[in-house]
Amino acid sequence: MEKVPMTVRGEQKLLKELEVLLKRRPLISQAIAEARELGDLKENAEYHAAREEQGICEAQIRDIEYKLSVAQVIDVTTLANTGKVIFGTTIKLLDLDSDKEMTYCIVGDDEADIKQNLISVNSPIARGLIGKLVGDEVQITTPGGLKEFEIMDVQYI
């Protein structure tokens, strides 16, 4: 089984989600039991809704447990900052075409959220940055075309 990289933050987020779902389990079971008491199950909307909610909850639990089982949690704060871009680092870039500064953190696929500047390790920008050093200029082919960046700073936070 191939391990999937995940940050410590990503692992903590999944563990919190799992905890919430596991707390919902008994409540859903109780709702099913109460709906059963109402009589005929064929036409019992409360029963069918509770069963559907149970199915969704169990699927989410299995999904999170699987993700955690294949995760390789990488804590960059325990590594010496060599200025090299690796998984989990936060990178400050200068777009050489627009002179605009941007900051990204390279995370696992499930953690990626561009609105929070979290980019997937498999994204074109992350793939183009991995292994580079502070001060390097890189050309990356993005969906919007060829972009040139200078790596201004690499933080292991």
Side-chain angles (χ1 to χ4, degrees):
M1 186 180 308
E2 189 174 319
K3 292 290 187 180
V4 177
M6 180 181 293
T7 64
V8 173
R9 281 187 308 253
E11 180 189 39
Q12 290 171 346
K13 182 180 174 190
L14 284 179
L15 288 170
K16 285 179 187 175
E17 284 180 46
L18 183 60
E19 184 181 336
V20 168
L21 290 169
L22 291 174
K23 286 180 181 178
R24 274 184 45 205
R25 245 185 192 165
L27 300 174
I28 295 169
S29 294
Q30 182 180 352
I32 290 172
E34 289 171 4
R36 272 194 186 122
E37 293 174 4
L38 297 176
D40 185 17
L41 297 181
K42 289 181 183 176
E43 296 181 17
N44 187 330
E46 289 86 4
Y47 173 78
H48 292 290
R51 290 289 303 203
E52 185 175 332
E53 183 180 359
Q54 181 183 43
I56 292 169
C57 181
E58 292 301 321
Q60 290 173 330
I61 289 171
R62 280 191 307 274
D63 184 50
I64 291 172
E65 287 176 338
Y66 173 75
K67 287 176 183 177
L68 289 170
S69 74
V70 298
Q72 177 184 2
V73 180
I74 298 170
D75 184 0
V76 293
T77 62
T78 63
L79 304 173
N81 187 341
T82 61
K84 188 175 189 178
V85 178
I86 60 172
F87 177 86
T89 55
T90 300
I91 305 102
K92 185 181 197 181
L93 299 173
L94 176 65
D95 184 330
L96 296 176
D97 298 325
S98 67
D99 232 22
K100 180 180 170 188
E101 286 187 8
M102 55 199 71
T103 302
Y104 294 117
C105 181
I106 299 175
V107 297
D109 289 335
D110 291 328
E111 303 171 75
D113 183 354
I114 194 65
K115 292 178 184 171
Q116 294 183 26
N117 296 328
L118 302 173
I119 60 171
S120 166
V121 67
N122 294 311
S123 69
I125 292 177
R127 284 195 316 259
L129 293 172
I130 295 282
K132 303 296 190 274
L133 299 167
V134 172
D136 284 355
E137 291 185 10
V138 294
Q139 290 184 337
I140 301 172
T141 303
T142 67
L146 187 66
K147 294 275 200 179
E148 286 190 71
F149 299 102
E150 182 181 343
I151 301 172
M152 306 293 290
D153 189 26
V154 177
Q155 298 177 336
Y156 287 49
I157 55 175

